[in-house]
Amino acid sequence: MKKLLITGGAGFIGANFVHYWMNKYQSDKIVVLDALTYAGNIANLDSIKDEDNFTFIHGDICDQALVEKLLVEHSIDTLVHFAAESHVDRSITGPDAFIETNIMGTYSLLKAAKKVWLDGDTVLEGHRFHHVSTDEVYGTLSPTDPAFTEDTAYAPNSPYSASKAASDHLVRAYHHTYGLNVTTSNCSNNYGPFHFPEKLIPLVITNILHDKSLPIYGDGQQIRDWLYVEDHAYGIDLVLQNGRIGENYNIGGNNEWANINIVKTISKLVEQEFVNNSELVARFPTAKAAIAQNTESLITYVKDRPGHDRRYAIDAAKTNNELDYTPKESFDTGIAKTVQWYLNNEIWWQSVMNGSYQNWITEQYE
Ligand code: NAD
Ligand code: DAU
């Protein structure tokens, strides 16, 4: 039985990971530590919040004393670190929070883990610090470059990716210097339930439903490698079970798409939903383009993101071969599930967008 501390477990990927783990390993204990920033949403954990083996702690990963207390009081043996500032556009307009959480926060967690697991009278055998990182640390690719492997040199281009790269290096150093049992995974772009609607895929779905424009940065030919979020959780699971200590593992689905094509694909899927389900017309009367089946008319080319990386692509051969990893979801099934999820969970995205769940947080956790 594992006792896990999950940082950032109220965010998009962290919450999906918590659901995945609670469902698969029902006798494990999970403690979520989350600061509930604008991106964290306690509603993402609503269906499990009363389970006996689940505890939610509202707090900051930079609070080393709190993390040490949680590691000791809950006898944590496995820390899975998702907490981060994660949106590239925000890192361009306001890098400070990225330096604080992604670098200083990771450093604080490493110090706490070293103190509790390594520096006491006995070393905690079998402890694990798993760090969740991104393909963005490798920089950008031309259309013909081979995909990123774990040996690709780091070349981060945005304040976000630079802060993630710095945290990856600290994690590596804590293994090399102090013998902390670490693993790191570098994953490509995720999509699926609970994805905050400032990111491309949920933004496109919700904007169609609001009859708002679909902003395409620059020429829309930038390429991202998309993975269904549950397949990311599955990959981390395999790394935790069988990954070698001190190693990095790439996780990806071999699924490259130009932004403009993914936006057009989602537009068609939403249009089709309106054709298949007449209830949607009543529920989303402002979705004029979807009703008229002309959602592509909402596409608007806008100014490019400064320093915009042209292409990401993950070579996951090491993870596939060593850990027998294969994503379970195809893009067709994953994106169809995702569109359905947003259509079925309007209350979630409306409240995320207008911030109303914050009142609920205040009542429950302040
Ligand atoms: P997210 O922004 O949706 O969630 C981040 C979570 O961390 C939120 O719940 C937030 O409240 C919490 N948090 C932020 N600062 C905190 C702090 N100081 N203390 C405690 N909690 C804090 O992010 P996400 O998209 O779920 O990404 C999770 C992790 O996965 C990140 O480390 C990110 O770099 C990495 N990643 C993301 C993607 C992707 O496509 N989204 C792909 C690869 C890797
Ligand atoms: O590659 C992994 C990374 O993927 C993660 O590390 C990040 O945390 C995550 O946010 C994501 O970063 P991206 O910048 O790739 O994701 P985003 O959804 O912001 O943008 C995807 C692409 O779409 C990117 O090329 C920018 C473009 N875009 C985005 C938005 C929000 C647009 O063209 N228009 C938009 O409105």
Side-chain angles (χ1 to χ4, degrees):
M1 184 182 92
K2 283 193 198 314
K3 293 172 184 147
L4 298 98
L5 178 63
I6 313 291
T7 71
F12 163 46
I13 306 173
N16 277 284
F17 179 83
V18 170
H19 287 289
Y20 168 96
W21 202 274
M22 296 274 293
N23 192 33
K24 184 162 174 192
Y25 301 105
Q26 292 177 1
S27 55
D28 284 1
K29 274 181 63 179
I30 285 199
V31 178
V32 165
L33 171 62
D34 199 296
L36 298 177
T37 67
Y38 80 96
N41 185 350
I42 191 67
N44 297 355
L45 302 169
D46 207 31
S47 62
I48 50 169
K49 70 178 191 313
D50 297 326
E51 299 289 334
D52 290 342
N53 59 343
F54 175 78
T55 308
F56 180 79
I57 306 289
H58 184 196
D60 195 316
I61 57 168
C62 296
D63 183 346
Q64 188 187 334
L66 170 64
V67 177
E68 284 173 22
K69 181 167 157 276
L70 294 176
L71 293 177
V72 172
E73 279 182 1
H74 294 271
S75 307
I76 299 294
D77 48 46
T78 304
L79 191 159
V80 188
H81 175 31
F82 292 93
E85 289 293 333
S86 69
H87 191 36
V88 175
D89 291 333
R90 287 180 189 251
S91 85
I92 294 167
T93 52
D96 287 3
F98 290 72
I99 305 306
E100 186 61 23
T101 287
N102 300 1
I103 304 179
M104 296 309 292
T106 303
Y107 177 48
S108 153
L109 291 174
L110 288 164
K111 282 192 291 180
K114 173 178 177 290
K115 191 160 164 194
V116 174
W117 287 342
L118 300 183
D119 295 347
D121 294 337
T122 50
V123 169
L124 181 70
E125 294 301 327
H127 69 266
R128 178 71 71 86
F129 187 112
H130 181 76
H131 177 54
V132 180
S133 191
T134 169
D135 59 0
E136 298 202 13
V137 296
Y138 299 121
T140 186
L141 296 168
S142 78
T144 53
D145 282 336
F148 303 126
T149 72
E150 290 81 355
D151 295 326
T152 302
Y154 275 30
N157 287 319
S158 70
Y160 162 70
S161 53
S163 68
K164 291 296 291 185
S167 66
D168 292 11
H169 291 320
L170 283 169
V171 171
R172 176 189 156 87
Y174 264 67
H175 169 65
H176 190 79
T177 304
Y178 304 113
L180 194 69
N181 290 347
V182 308
T183 41
T184 295
S185 48
N186 296 83
C187 192
S188 58
N189 284 62
N190 286 211
Y191 67 97
F194 304 127
H195 204 181
F196 196 89
E198 66 185 349
K199 307 276 174 70
L200 183 68
I201 287 184
L203 180 100
V204 166
I205 300 170
T206 53
N207 276 14
I208 292 173
L209 298 175
H210 280 141
D211 204 37
K212 283 166 73 175
S213 68
L214 310 178
I216 304 285
Y217 297 166
D219 64 3
Q221 294 301 327
Q222 305 83 4
I223 289 171
R224 296 294 181 266
D225 188 352
W226 293 95
L227 182 73
Y228 190 64
V229 62
E230 224 172 82
D231 280 322
H232 186 182
Y234 173 50
I236 294 171
D237 179 6
L238 293 180
V239 175
L240 286 172
Q241 306 299 340
N242 298 316
R244 283 179 294 137
I245 301 301
E247 292 288 314
N248 280 48
Y249 290 91
N250 280 355
I251 302 177
N254 200 15
N255 180 41
E256 293 182 51
W257 283 79
N259 291 340
I260 184 66
N261 294 337
I262 213 152
V263 170
K264 287 182 176 173
T265 298
I266 293 168
S267 298
K268 293 222 160 29
L269 280 172
V270 178
E271 283 171 10
Q272 195 53 46
E273 290 297 329
F274 274 76
V275 172
N276 294 346
N277 182 354
S278 55
E279 238 182 54
L280 291 178
V281 178
R283 278 181 56 207
F284 301 105
T286 57
K288 291 189 291 293
I291 293 161
Q293 294 161 57
N294 185 22
T295 42
E296 281 188 24
S297 62
L298 296 172
I299 289 174
T300 310
Y301 287 88
V302 299
K303 201 159 117 309
D304 207 353
R305 172 186 278 176
H308 200 169
D309 284 337
R310 196 69 183 162
R311 172 177 168 239
Y312 303 141
I314 275 280
D315 178 341
K318 174 179 172 183
T319 312
N320 300 344
N321 297 335
E322 224 178 86
L323 306 179
D324 199 19
Y325 174 73
T326 317
K328 294 181 191 298
E329 214 67 62
S330 71
F331 187 67
D332 282 355
T333 57
I335 196 69
K337 276 187 183 179
T338 304
V339 168
Q340 278 302 330
W341 191 87
Y342 280 86
L343 291 173
N344 293 337
N345 289 277
E346 184 188 353
I347 293 174
W348 181 89
W349 50 265
Q350 293 281 17
S351 62
V352 162
M353 289 159 93
N354 68 27
S356 61
Y357 70 92
Q358 289 292 351
N359 300 333
W360 196 78
I361 294 167
T362 311
E363 282 161 26
Q364 305 275 319
Y365 294 103
E366 293 297 336

